[in-house]
């Protein structure tokens, strides 16, 4: 594929490309949505950018009786719809598709793992390459333990002279602290921690990684990144989509498990962590874990006063009428699942003592926007009269994670004229303008490549997952107790419930408008 290759931003770091050894990527749950929407399109983009090694295979494993050809056809549909580089010529697709294979097998059918094992071994032998394997669990989570146990029993998990073995585990990793700990124990019986890659696709987003670059590759931010200068921090993950066809999963998970346990806590740890000693897996993850440990699980009183939960009612999103959550297919009409939450939380350490972190996320909101904003304290003394009605606005550093990726700094400037009237202005860095529209790989591209290269820095470690659940469990339990705040409703296509505004108003603050800053 080299001759046709599209230029990749990852080429800027040639060692990344060189670090990828020949490998078979084995996808458990290959007939599911994730494989066609995310995994194979990401691998196709990597192939187009010449980032995959000459010897690579993608082997789908699932129950449906598909042939290699069926699998290739379905994947082609997915690649055409979702890849950054949809194939423009038949030959380009065929070059890639020749590496796609399918092995039929139920996750509980032990003998099919032996078939898979043989297939992978023979494939590697035929191509004269090492039998390196990256197993990817894209199956329903209730099968994770069983798949892992079968891989162990079939002796498919240990690194050997034939090649290395790694496993990528999709979220959700457990359902609460107990199940996550059990799952960690089960995986550790079969795989060493260094072989395990627990994925959170937020960590694969360019702008999420850029939080680290902004903080630790610049000298001007770190000195003010603390309680002396920061008034509060806001993290918003707003989605305009609903739950799609995922009622079965979502009604059990709700927004707290779906977004807070993983994506929001990941963002928070990157914003709040101390500088790691190196950009290396354990150094980074140690610092992230320290942040989680510094956050206190919420007390009953805090559940009552620092959390807001809500569910969307019918409304209009992007000009389209959409049903309320309880009218979605397969959701019980009296479901109490929260599709929106807002929380106020503290990180109890020297850097952040007393600085509230306001976190919010919801489905079916006015727009899709993820943003972290650092709100600085106001100047201690105002030289200039309040010449207009507007209060003196505080400086805000906004990290726009998506969709309009960039960073904006708001500050006060003098209005041209004789007096000293001021207005807030914004200094804006846009990824698209600075680096060009094609420069951002999809999160899965980066993470798949890192797993192939054996770099777990952007994956969650076992203790990190468990600390996150330790924080999330009390919220869930609290919401089922007498301390639960009322389940509010918000109209689809709006910015969430009244209670979320009140959460900040009580502290004399307000949510940042995400639409236009
Ligand atoms: C997933 C959640 O982890 O993240 C989904 O399960 C959510 O419910 C998605 O829609 C959001 O990801 P992104 O990349 O679109 O922000």
């Amino acid at each position: 594929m080299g001759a046709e290759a599209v230029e990749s931003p990852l080429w800027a770091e040639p060692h990344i490309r060189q670090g990828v050894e020949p490998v078979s990527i084995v996808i458990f749950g290959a007939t599911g949505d994730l494989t066609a929407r995310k995994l194979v399109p990401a691998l196709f983009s990597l192939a187009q950018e010449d980032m995959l090694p000459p010897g690579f295979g993608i082997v789908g494993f699932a129950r449906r009786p598909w042939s290699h050809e069926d699998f290739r056809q379905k994947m082609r549909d997915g690649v055409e719809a979702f890849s950054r580089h949809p194939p423009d010529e038949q030959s380009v697709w065929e070059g890639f598709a020749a590496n796609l294979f399918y092995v039929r097998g139920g996750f509980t059918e032990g003998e099919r793992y032996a078939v898979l094992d043989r297939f992978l071994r023979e494939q590697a032998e035929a191509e004269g390459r090492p039998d390196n394997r990256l197993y990817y669990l894209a199956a329903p989570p209730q099968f994770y333990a069983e798949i892992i146990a079968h891989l162990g029993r079939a002796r498919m998990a240990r690194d050997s002279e034939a090649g290395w073995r790694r496993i990528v585990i999709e979220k959700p990793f457990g359902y609460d602290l107990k199940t996550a700990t059990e799952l960690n124990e089960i995986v550790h019986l079969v795989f060493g921690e260094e072989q395990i890659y627990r994925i959170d696709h937020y960590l694969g987003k360019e702008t999420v990684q850029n939080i680290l670059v902004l903080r630790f590759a610049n000298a001007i931010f770190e000195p003010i990144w603390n309680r002396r200068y920061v008034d509060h921090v806001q993290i918003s993950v707003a989605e305009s989509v609903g739950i799609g066809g995922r009622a079965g999963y979502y009604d059990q998970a709700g927004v707290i498990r779906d977004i807070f346990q993983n994506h929001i806590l990941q963002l928070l740890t990157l914003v709040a962590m101390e500088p790691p000693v190196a950009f290396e897996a354990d150094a980074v993850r140690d610092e992230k874990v320290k942040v989680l440990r510094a956050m206190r699980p919420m007390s009953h009183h805090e559940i009552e006063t620092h959390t807001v939960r809500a569910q969307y009612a019918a409304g209009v999103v992007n000009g389209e009428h959409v049903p309320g959550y309880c009218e979605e297919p397969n959701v019980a009409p009296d479901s109490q699942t929260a599709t929106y939450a807002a929380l106020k939380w503290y990180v109890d350490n020297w850097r952040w003592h007393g600085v509230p972190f306001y976190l919010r996320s919801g489905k079916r909101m006015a727009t899709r926007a993820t943003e972290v904003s650092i709100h600085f304290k106001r100047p201690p003394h105002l030289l200039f009269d309040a010449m207009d009605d507007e209060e003196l606005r505080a400086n805000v550093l906004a990290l726009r994670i998506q969709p309009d990726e960039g960073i904006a700094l708001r500050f006060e400037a003098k209005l041209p004229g004789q007096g000293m009237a001021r207005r807030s202005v914004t200094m804006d860095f846009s990824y698209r303008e600075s680096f060009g529209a094609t420069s951002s790989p999809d999160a899965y591209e980066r993470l798949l490549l890192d797993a192939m290269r054996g770099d777990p820095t952007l994956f969650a470690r076992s203790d990190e997952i468990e600390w996150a659940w330790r924080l999330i469990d009390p919220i869930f339990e609290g919401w089922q107790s007498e301390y639960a705040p009322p389940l509010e409703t918000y109209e689809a296509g709006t910015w969430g419930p009244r209670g979320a505004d009140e959460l900040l108003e009580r502290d004399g603050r307000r949510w940042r408008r995400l639409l236009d800053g």
Side-chain angles (χ1 to χ4, degrees), residues 38 170-171 200-202 205 237-239 241-243 246 249-250 258-259 262-263 363 368 370 402 443-444:
K38 291 288 184 189
E170 260 297 333
K171 66 170 278 254
D200 181 321
H201 77 280
Y202 262 58
K205 291 181 192 276
V237 177
E239 298 193 86
V241 293
I243 55 159
R246 298 196 303 157
Y249 153 76
Y250 195 88
D258 190 46
I259 301 284
N262 36 70
H263 309 328
K363 294 256 183 231
R368 173 174 184 255
T370 297
Q402 61 189 22
Y444 277 93

Side-chain angles (χ1 to χ4, degrees), residues 436-500:
T438 57
S439 63
S440 281
D442 180 78
Y444 277 93
E445 293 174 37
R446 168 68 194 244
L447 295 175
L448 280 162
L449 203 59
D450 280 3
M452 285 185 246
R453 293 169 51 232
D455 181 353
T457 310
L458 299 176
F459 294 82
R461 206 169 54 189
S462 57
D463 52 343
E464 196 176 338
I465 295 267
E466 291 177 17
W467 279 105
W469 279 119
R470 226 167 252 135
L471 296 171
I472 292 299
D473 278 5
I475 300 178
F476 238 87
E477 285 155 22
W479 282 2
Q480 265 132 44
S481 75
E482 60 193 286
Y483 304 101
L487 180 69
E488 299 182 51
T489 51
Y490 60 103
E491 200 181 316
T494 66
W495 280 106
R498 182 76 201 108

Side-chain angles (χ1 to χ4, degrees), residues 173 179-188 198 462 465-466:
F173 193 95
T179 49
T181 310
E182 281 165 10
L183 185 55
N184 270 333
E185 280 164 10
I186 290 168
V187 198
H188 284 150
R198 299 172 192 79
S462 57
I465 295 267
E466 291 177 17

Side-chain angles (χ1 to χ4, degrees), residues 270-435:
L270 295 178
V271 170
M273 71 195 238
E274 297 301 316
V277 290
F279 189 62
E280 283 168 8
D282 277 336
V284 171
R285 297 188 294 183
D286 286 348
E287 296 305 333
K288 286 162 67 190
V289 165
K290 283 189 210 161
V291 174
L292 297 173
R293 294 182 63 171
M295 293 172 71
R296 258 177 302 114
M298 287 200 192
S299 65
H300 288 157
H301 176 66
E302 285 163 334
I303 298 284
E304 242 176 333
T305 55
H306 293 185
T307 75
V308 173
R309 59 185 188 127
Q311 199 180 67
Y312 61 83
V316 178
V317 180
N318 298 330
E320 198 191 315
H321 282 274
V322 298
Y325 178 70
C326 287
E327 292 125 42
E328 298 276 13
N330 303 321
V331 173
D334 58 352
S335 168
Q336 295 290 296
T337 298
T339 61
Y340 176 100
L343 310 179
K344 171 177 160 183
W345 225 328
Y346 289 95
V347 178
D348 286 329
N349 60 18
W350 275 53
R351 184 187 283 260
W352 295 114
H353 181 80
V355 177
F357 284 70
Y358 298 102
L359 318 173
R360 64 173 163 167
S361 177
K363 294 256 183 231
R364 285 287 189 227
M365 298 187 64
T367 193
R368 173 174 184 255
T370 297
E371 189 189 89
V372 175
S373 50
I374 316 295
H375 298 245
F376 291 93
K377 292 188 172 165
R378 296 200 158 83
H381 171 67
L382 186 55
L383 288 182
F384 312 108
D385 295 339
M387 282 167 290
D388 43 36
D389 293 341
E390 200 195 0
E391 59 180 317
L392 183 65
R393 295 171 86 193
N395 300 135
V396 177
L397 182 69
L399 319 182
R400 293 192 307 268
I401 306 294
Q402 61 189 22
D404 172 24
E405 291 91 348
I407 298 178
L409 177 67
R410 188 178 77 190
F411 59 96
E412 297 293 288
K414 181 183 172 306
L415 266 179
Q418 301 306 327
M420 290 302 275
R422 308 166 313 266
R423 177 165 305 162
S424 296
V425 293
T426 302
M427 227 154 56
D428 210 331
F429 151 67
S430 151
Y431 263 77
R432 204 172 326 125
E433 279 168 28
S434 297
F435 298 133

